[in-house]
Amino acid sequence: MTDAMEVEPTPPTEEETKETQTEEMQQDTEAEEEDVGPLSEWADDASAKPPADQITIFKKILNDTEYLGPKAMSLKERCVYDLTTAYCKTEAFDQIVTLLQKTQFLDQITKSKCAKVVRAVLEVVCTLAPTQLEMQADICQSIIEWCTREKRSFLRQRVEAKLASILVQQKSFKQALELVDRLLGELKKLDDKQLLVETHLQESKIHFGLRNTPKAKAALTASRTCANAIYVSPSLQATIDKMSGTLHCEEGDYNTAHSYFLEAFEQLDQLNDQERAVPCLKYMMLCRILDSLTKALQLSAKGGVGKLHLCVCVYCCASLFSISNTDLKIRRQIGQFRG
C-alpha cells in the first residue's frame, strides 16, 4: 500500500529550468569577476592616462601573484602588449628586455604560451618602431641569450628567425647567412616545416642580396616545397610569390614574373594591405612594359618595328617611374579592380 502511494517528483517546468540556468550563469559571472579582483579596474584607469603613468600601473598588474585565474591571466597578457606599446611611445626600448626577462607573469604561464607572448611583443616593437633596426636587433640578441640560459630552444629558434629578417633589412647579409645556416641545421632535424618555410625564404633573400641568383632560387624552391606540405597564411604566401616574381625579373622572364606579382597583389588586396599591395601592382605594370619592350627590340632588330614604337615603350617606362613617389593613380587602379 505504501509503495502504491509513492510517486515520482514532478519534473521542473521550462520557466523553472530557465531560472536555474540564469542563476548558474550569474554565479559563474560573479566567480569570474571575483577571479580578476581589482586588476580590471586598474587596467581601465590606465587606458585614460598618458604612457608614462600607464607604465607604473601595468607593471603593478603584471607583478601580481594573487589572481591567477584564466580571466586574470588573459588580462595580464593584454597588459604585456599595452606596456610594450607604452615603452615604445616613451622610447624606453631598453625596458622591453627587462619586461621579458623579469616579469613574474611569464613565469606563471606555460613555455608555449610564453613563446607566443614574446613573439607578439617583438611584432609590436617592429610595428611601432619600424626604422630602428639596430634597437630591434639588440632586443632579439638579448632575448636569444636569455633563451639560451633558460634552455628554451623553441622560442630561441623563432627569435633567431626574426633576427635574421632584421639583419636582411640592415643588409648585413653575411651575418644573416651564418645565422640562417646554423638555424636550418636545427630545424631540419626537428622537421619544423612552418619555421622552415620562413627561414628558407629569408635564405633566398640573403642570396639575392649577395647577387647569387641560383642559390636564391634553390632556397625559394625549398621554401615552396615545405609550404606545400602545410597551411601557409595568405600574407606569407604573398611574400613567397613576390620573391618568385623578383627572381624571374632578374632572369628577364617578365611574363612569368607578372603572374607571380599578380598572385601576390590579389592576396594582399584581399587582406586590405595596401602598403604591400601597391608595390606589387607597380611591378606588374613594369613587367608588362618591359615584356613589350623586349619583344619590340627583338622585332626592331629584324626590321619589323619602327623607332616610334620603341619610343612609346620607353616613354611608358619613364612614366611608370615618374609616379613612383605618389601612389594616387595606382590606388585608383586598386579601386577599379575592387569595383
Side-chain angles (χ1 to χ4, degrees):
M1 187 68 177
T2 305
D3 296 338
M5 294 180 64
E6 288 181 357
V7 294
E8 295 181 358
T10 305
T13 62
E14 293 183 2
E15 294 182 357
E16 292 176 345
T17 303
K18 290 181 180 179
E19 290 177 358
T20 304
Q21 292 176 351
T22 303
E23 291 177 359
E24 291 177 353
M25 291 175 64
Q26 289 178 351
Q27 292 175 358
D28 293 340
T29 303
E30 292 175 356
E32 289 181 358
E33 292 177 353
E34 292 174 0
D35 180 43
V36 175
L39 301 184
S40 180
E41 296 179 3
W42 294 346
D44 293 339
D45 293 340
S47 60
K49 295 185 177 181
D53 296 335
Q54 290 178 354
I55 292 174
T56 303
I57 298 174
F58 289 141
K59 289 172 69 175
K60 182 179 179 182
I61 294 174
L62 292 174
N63 289 327
D64 171 76
T65 57
E66 182 178 355
Y67 301 97
L68 304 175
K71 192 172 181 180
M73 300 306 285
S74 177
L75 178 63
K76 289 180 181 180
E77 182 181 349
R78 292 198 301 271
C79 286
V80 171
Y81 306 141
D82 292 338
L83 181 56
T84 303
T85 303
Y87 280 142
C88 291
K89 289 181 178 179
T90 56
E91 297 186 355
F93 300 113
D94 56 328
Q95 295 298 319
I96 296 175
V97 177
T98 305
L99 165 67
L100 297 175
Q101 292 182 353
K102 298 183 179 180
T103 301
Q104 294 185 8
F105 166 71
L106 297 180
D107 295 331
Q108 298 167 354
I109 58 179
T110 61
K111 289 187 176 182
S112 60
K113 184 71 172 180
C114 178
K116 172 182 174 292
V117 171
V118 172
R119 294 181 70 188
V121 167
L122 284 176
E123 289 300 325
V124 171
V125 173
C126 295
T127 302
L128 296 179
T131 59
Q132 301 195 31
L133 299 177
E134 191 66 32
M135 175 272 298
Q136 296 176 18
D138 291 341
I139 291 177
C140 288
Q141 288 284 10
S142 300
I143 296 174
I144 290 170
E145 293 174 1
W146 174 72
C147 290
T148 303
R149 291 197 304 269
E150 298 292 327
K151 297 181 179 180
R152 301 196 177 196
S153 301
F154 180 84
L155 176 57
R156 174 183 57 79
Q157 291 166 353
R158 276 141 188 81
V159 178
E160 285 180 342
K162 183 65 178 178
L163 177 59
S165 67
I166 295 172
L167 292 174
V168 170
Q169 294 180 62
Q170 290 180 315
K171 299 189 184 302
S172 301
F173 297 118
K174 292 185 178 180
Q175 186 178 355
L177 185 59
E178 293 176 0
L179 176 61
V180 165
D181 286 342
R182 180 174 55 79
L183 182 59
L184 283 173
E186 297 181 14
L187 296 176
K188 288 177 181 177
K189 294 178 182 178
L190 298 173
D191 197 26
D192 189 342
K193 292 190 181 300
Q194 179 64 42
L195 197 53
L196 276 171
V197 172
E198 300 174 13
T199 309
H200 277 303
L201 181 59
Q202 292 300 328
E203 183 188 16
S204 179
K205 292 180 180 180
I206 293 169
H207 286 303
F208 180 73
L210 295 172
R211 314 308 300 169
N212 193 336
T213 305
K215 286 190 176 182
K217 289 185 65 178
L220 188 62
T221 301
S223 179
R224 281 190 174 279
T225 302
C226 295
N228 290 335
I230 60 171
Y231 169 77
V232 176
S233 65
S235 179
L236 180 57
Q237 185 62 53
T239 306
I240 295 174
D241 290 335
K242 183 180 177 182
M243 190 63 197
S244 298
T246 302
L247 293 177
H248 279 89
C249 273
E250 187 73 12
E251 295 180 332
D253 188 359
Y254 302 116
N255 191 33
T256 306
H258 174 272
S259 300
Y260 280 116
F261 287 132
L262 176 60
E263 289 289 335
F265 168 74
E266 288 179 343
Q267 293 179 79
L268 294 172
D269 185 44
Q270 290 178 358
L271 296 173
N272 292 323
D273 190 351
Q274 290 195 3
E275 184 178 355
R276 296 171 60 197
V278 168
C280 290
L281 183 59
K282 288 181 180 180
Y283 298 150
M284 287 165 53
M285 297 166 62
L286 182 60
C287 286
R288 278 301 185 207
I289 294 171
L290 291 175
D291 188 48
S292 299
L293 181 59
T294 302
K295 293 177 180 178
L297 287 172
Q298 292 174 351
L299 290 174
S300 178
K302 299 177 182 179
V305 66
K307 294 182 178 179
L308 179 61
H309 192 175
L310 289 174
C311 289
V312 170
C313 292
V314 173
Y315 175 75
C316 290
C317 290
S319 299
L320 179 62
F321 286 113
S322 68
I323 64 172
S324 60
N325 293 329
T326 171
D327 297 330
L328 180 60
K329 295 182 181 179
I330 294 182
R331 289 180 186 275
R332 288 176 182 171
Q333 292 277 354
I334 294 178
Q336 292 177 3
F337 287 163
R338 287 179 175 173

